[in-house]
Amino acid sequence: MNIVRNVMLALLLLCGGAGVAQAEDGYELWLRYRPVEATARASYLAAARTLVGGTSSPTLDAAQGELRRGLTGLLGRPQATGTAVADGALLYGTPASSTIIAGLKLDLTPAGEEGYVIRSMTVDGHSVTVIAANNDKGVLYGAFAFLRLIQTRQDVTALAIASAPQHKIRILNHWDNLDRNSERGYAGLSLWNWSQLPQIDPRMIDYARANASLGLNATVLNNVNADLRIYRPEYLAKVAALADAFRPYGIKLYLSILSSAPIQVGGLKTADPLDPQVIAWWKSEADRIYKAIPDFGGFLVKANSEGMPGPQDYGRTQAEGAHVMAVAVKPHGGIVMWRAFVYSPENRDDRAKKAHAEFVPLDGKFDDNVLVQIKNGPLDFQPREPFSPLFGALPNTNAMMEFQITKEYLGFATHLAYLGTMWEETLKSDTQARGPGSSVAKIVNGQLFNHTLTGMAGVANTGTAENWSGSIFNQANWYAFGRLAWDPELSARDIAEEWTRQTFSNNATTVRPIVAMMMGSRQTVVDYMMPLGLNMIFGNGTHYGPGPWDEISSRPDWRAPYYHKADANGLGFNRQASGSNAVAQYQPGVAAQLSDRDNLDYLLWFNHVGWSEQLSTGRSLWDELVYRYTDGVTKVKQMRRNWTALRGRVDGERYNLTAQYLAIQEAEAQWWRDACLAYFQSFSKLPYPKGYAAPAHPLDYYKGLDARKNLDAKLATGLN
Ligand code: GCW
């Protein structure tokens, strides 16, 4: 497929093809090396006439391969390779792999272990460009970064770039099952074709390229609700084949495992982490896995959470549960990522308090090769959550971030929601753990508490869909996650622009409206789904449509009314001292900010507010709800208009798919608005403010619609 496309592109280039949008299915993601406009080509050609490497290795070959592929597409002629320094040479390598690079005596300290430097230099009187690093992976990342400069039409004549990743582990979590269903996946089947493996589908290489282009260096293949058959020898051989395929791209492979593996895999009678037999079993199991995959990364564990087994089944702590695995993988250089996503159905206290209450007493008790993996918010990937109070509360524990790239709670694949803004909001949040300026980003990158083992995980949105992510704009979330895992200080806007330029065009009249659409999209989803801090008001356990009434949730004790607390007086969850006092889990200064009734983003998350209470906007709570829900729908209409105006400037295939999805999003935003307002009005009993339409149907209509939509959705895509 790609070869045909490249020939087409070459033909296109010969006829100066700028502006003719060829049909695209999105398979190439942001690695679309489309021809640079003739006007700009000369300066790029001058910087990359010949590729001059050194000794080869699988990773350096991958770097050279990508440079060739990229520069051929972008500059329209096959890249020559050479050995000599000449004008326009693009030198790449490490001091160990290239004598020329060694001879330059560059200061590679800023590149660190995995980073790179890119410099425009004069060597022996020749103007050259250098991509150098301390190890091969850094060169690969540098190669992608150099191509990105050209893809986004940056000036490459005076480069002085040094970039190093801010997190050690930059990892995708695939919630993929062995039956190729992905839990909360909306992009077709799981990428891992277990019946084809250990044969490697070329798509696996493109998966590795996409991740390497973002600097992602790790992946967990299987669901945290783990099916332990994956530890059978026949499966491990398939896993090892994937590890071999990903290794040249600097991607280490990890697996989810359960605390009960000593029983289910080892056949023991107990999985008590302090039992000597169990301790021995974990050691031998680790040895067995590392025999099959020498550079296996380690385990990801969900324990005593949503029914998963765990150490508490034996009266042991989460730290003791992690310890037995940590000790087993440590001699092999492995780590354990232990999830803090815990809440217990039987405990009726505030679910948002649970993780902090359980893990803070264990601070300092986890091994130094354990990372406690924490979801961005205290509940569960809602359209807006305050940062988790665990960030800043574990100074003596390695803590890593868990974001959700797949949009379980933001419209699955159909609704357009760019999550870069959400993640930026979380990372920039100030925990005040060590006074003002103690941002979540500084905790996760290890700076605040001097941690060296650091990480950022993203629950993947990938599948066998041609466009990988279920929609074109979902690709931007994979992209943004990768960029922020490399550098949490990057801005969501810059990332959105970068992605748009690589994915669509560098034409300002295309870039501007697309970036504007993306930057407003997540807030728009918040407004038509759960404004003002509302959360978890989905219906029927699908996490897709509105269900503030929610009679038949998949977890009956966690129905929507539990979260929004609507009653005749008002709405919202009182998390103040007079309520669950969850706010006290934050530093006092932060608690005050979050509790402030003028902080409308979290008003109903932390407070129960009267329907007629006047807000800082001058509207009552009820009027504000009507205004927000309606405004959310209006903003989706505007997104559609923006997109329609781009017809002809984006290829038909991707244009049409997005246009279809935006039409669904508009209809469903209206559904959300009408269903939620009809329901909340059954409590407020207040009239709709002047100029705002009451929902077209009575409440029961939306209750019925919810079940019908859910059924259709289930039938259509076989969703979980
Ligand atoms: O978000 C919830 C999902 C579950 C998921 C769980 C978790 C993998 O609804 O599908 O299970 O969180 O994070 O473990």
Side-chain angles (χ1 to χ4, degrees), residues 65-388:
E66 198 65 34
L67 287 169
R68 291 173 77 96
R69 175 198 286 252
L71 294 169
T72 302
L74 291 161
L75 306 179
R77 65 182 184 80
Q79 272 327 100
T81 54
T83 53
V85 174
D87 282 339
L90 178 57
L91 313 177
Y92 66 94
T94 67
S97 72
S98 158
T99 50
I100 301 174
I101 298 241
L104 298 175
K105 302 207 174 336
L106 292 167
D107 172 17
L108 293 177
T109 332
E113 204 191 318
E114 295 184 275
Y116 54 82
V117 301
I118 308 178
R119 298 270 306 274
S120 307
M121 301 177 71
T122 303
V123 177
D124 305 342
H126 296 292
S127 70
V128 302
T129 304
V130 179
I131 301 175
N134 291 308
N135 74 43
D136 299 359
K137 238 191 318 187
V139 177
L140 177 65
Y141 298 149
F144 278 111
F146 180 70
L147 291 170
R148 187 164 52 233
L149 293 171
I150 302 179
Q151 285 177 282
T152 56
R153 305 295 185 269
Q154 315 283 313
D155 175 11
V156 297
T157 56
L159 297 173
I161 295 171
S163 179
Q166 299 246 336
H167 305 104
K168 195 160 169 48
I169 314 284
R170 307 175 301 278
I171 189 164
L172 288 182
N173 290 183
H174 292 269
W175 286 352
D176 290 19
N177 301 323
L178 297 182
D179 63 3
R180 300 199 72 187
N181 182 6
S182 298
E183 186 159 342
R184 315 303 178 186
Y186 315 110
L189 295 176
S190 161
L191 287 170
W192 326 127
N193 185 344
W194 298 104
S195 47
Q196 180 187 14
L197 286 162
Q199 281 183 18
I200 292 294
D201 179 320
R203 185 167 194 163
M204 296 300 105
I205 305 306
D206 290 329
Y207 167 85
R209 287 178 52 238
N211 286 321
S213 76
L214 301 171
L216 292 174
N217 64 354
T219 188
V220 182
L221 297 184
N222 59 330
N223 192 348
V224 285
N225 298 326
D227 177 336
L228 297 182
R229 287 177 299 161
I230 202 165
Y231 290 93
R232 290 187 183 159
E234 65 272 23
Y235 272 102
L236 272 190
K238 296 169 188 280
V239 172
L242 284 171
D244 295 344
F246 297 160
R247 192 169 295 117
Y249 292 87
I251 299 168
K252 240 187 197 179
L253 203 142
Y254 296 71
L255 290 175
S256 298
I257 197 162
L258 298 179
S259 294
S260 55
I263 299 172
Q264 292 168 270
V265 180
L268 300 188
K269 298 236 170 333
T270 175
D272 178 352
L274 300 197
D275 182 298
Q277 271 192 315
V278 172
I279 295 168
W281 182 82
W282 279 107
K283 269 196 185 17
S284 63
E285 181 64 0
D287 296 349
R288 183 175 73 93
I289 295 168
Y290 277 91
K291 195 150 175 286
I293 310 163
D295 59 352
F296 178 64
F299 296 128
L300 171 62
V301 184
K302 174 177 180 176
N304 292 121
S305 163
E306 294 191 329
M308 287 301 120
Q312 293 166 353
D313 304 342
Y314 302 91
R316 313 299 184 193
T317 70
Q318 299 274 8
E320 287 164 330
H323 176 68
V324 69
M325 298 182 199
V327 168
V329 297
K330 185 150 191 173
H332 304 281
I335 65 162
V336 173
M337 294 164 289
W338 195 268
R339 298 176 86 227
F341 176 63
V342 292
Y343 68 98
S344 38
E346 63 281 350
N347 175 327
R348 294 295 298 153
D349 187 7
D350 185 349
R351 173 177 161 177
K353 289 168 66 177
K354 182 70 175 149
H356 184 279
E358 194 163 312
F359 279 78
V360 169
L362 299 175
D363 183 36
K365 301 230 170 20
F366 289 91
D367 296 64
D368 61 9
N369 63 331
V370 173
L371 277 155
V372 171
Q373 180 164 315
I374 306 166
K375 290 191 177 186
N376 55 291
L379 262 185
D380 195 9
F381 301 135
Q382 294 303 291
R384 174 169 279 119
E385 296 202 30
F387 67 89
S388 165

